[in-house]
Amino acid sequence: MAHSNSVQFHPVPAFSFKPFFAIRDFINLLVAAFSEAKVMEQKSRKTSGNW
């Protein structure tokens, strides 16, 4: 017999991982953009010659 003061655990997560995935994707996007800008900077530095 179940008592009214018994603790029942429901398989509902207390928090969601979706914000973490969104933050991870955003950081990955920033890293990709930064690395691409770094490559373009190296290319432009090679072709610009000496100042």
Side-chain angles (χ1 to χ4, degrees):
M1 182 174 142
H3 298 287
S4 61
N5 61 354
S6 64
V7 178
Q8 295 180 353
F9 293 101
H10 299 286
V12 178
F15 60 93
S16 176
F17 284 106
K18 286 183 181 179
F20 296 109
F21 291 149
I23 292 170
R24 186 196 63 187
D25 291 342
F26 182 69
I27 291 174
N28 287 341
L29 183 67
L30 286 179
V31 168
F34 182 76
S35 62
E36 185 177 348
K38 201 76 172 162
V39 168
M40 292 179 69
E41 181 189 3
Q42 292 296 325
K43 285 182 181 178
S44 67
R45 194 170 284 181
K46 286 178 184 174
T47 59
S48 64
N50 294 328
W51 284 89

